[in-house]
Amino acid sequence: MASENKGVGVSTHLYDSKSFTIGIVDNDRLSLMALATLIERYLEKCRILWKVVDGRSAVDLCLSARSRPDVLIVDMSLEGMSGLSVCRQVRAATDRVAILGVTSFSLEMYRYSAREAGAQGLIGKEDIEKICEAIVSLANGRIADAAFSETAIESHRRLTADGDEPLRCRSLSRREMEVMDLSVCGKSRKAIAKELGIGETSIRTLQERAFKKLGARNKTEAVVAWLSFRNE
């Protein structure tokens, strides 16, 4: 059993005899290094397999048996490929990685979308104690966040079930889905453009295409339709 660590209240009763591995993706290099350092300091039985700054690399590493971690920590506000897309792509491909989202923003901004994308929890970046406890719980097959009831296996089955998404929803491109996920979170075009690393004009075009495919006349109708599709 791991000894009590000073400086963070990670309860010793959370540990069992299993050691576990972690992968972390965060496009903020300073935040990435700080999170990795704190986790290694306070979780004696963990080993960080890798730390990357882009979502595509994280997905590829999770899908390789040689680099697949037990727990993936995903910053929700990644640039390029969004954190939500990382969650969805990893979860659709495998049930062998538990996913924990982290964010510097309000948890309410991402909670619903992260859950629908296959994550097993969402914690504020500033709360290292909760992050560590959630990692240990997920690595040992326990629920880490009361708002996330699905296990990795259950969310994988949901995302890969035949007919899980209506035809119109499936017709959206990956980029259009990313834009809709971020639109649901209440983000402006400017904020979405910054997060995805593309221009506002491109975001406007992607939104217009997504709205048309969803049969929506405006953003409000599109958000309602997207939430409905994701909840079916």
Side-chain angles (χ1 to χ4, degrees), residues 5-117:
N5 290 296
K6 294 181 180 180
V8 80
V10 180
S11 303
T12 57
H13 77 274
L14 288 172
Y15 290 86
D16 59 18
S17 59
K18 178 185 177 183
S19 60
F20 50 89
T21 56
I22 298 171
I24 309 175
V25 55
D26 189 332
N27 64 282
D28 183 331
R29 293 181 183 275
L30 183 61
S31 176
L32 178 64
M33 296 305 297
L35 185 57
T37 298
L38 289 170
I39 290 172
E40 287 185 316
R41 179 181 301 170
Y42 297 124
L43 297 184
E44 297 176 358
K45 293 189 177 182
C46 87
R47 178 166 63 93
I48 295 180
L49 289 181
W50 43 263
K51 307 180 291 289
V52 296
V53 296
D54 66 287
R56 182 71 263 169
S57 294
V59 172
D60 291 342
L61 288 164
C62 284
L63 301 189
S64 169
R66 298 181 62 181
S67 54
R68 181 187 300 127
D70 295 309
V71 180
L72 171 65
I73 301 174
V74 183
D75 175 24
M76 290 291 97
S77 55
L78 294 176
E79 295 178 356
M81 178 183 288
S82 71
L84 294 169
S85 288
V86 171
C87 293
R88 183 176 293 108
Q89 290 194 32
V90 171
R91 179 55 64 240
T94 180
D95 61 9
R96 300 184 65 182
V97 180
I99 301 174
L100 178 65
V102 294
T103 181
S104 298
F105 298 96
S106 165
L107 297 183
E108 291 303 318
M109 179 179 292
Y110 289 110
R111 181 174 283 123
Y112 177 85
S113 295
R115 185 170 58 232
E116 292 302 298

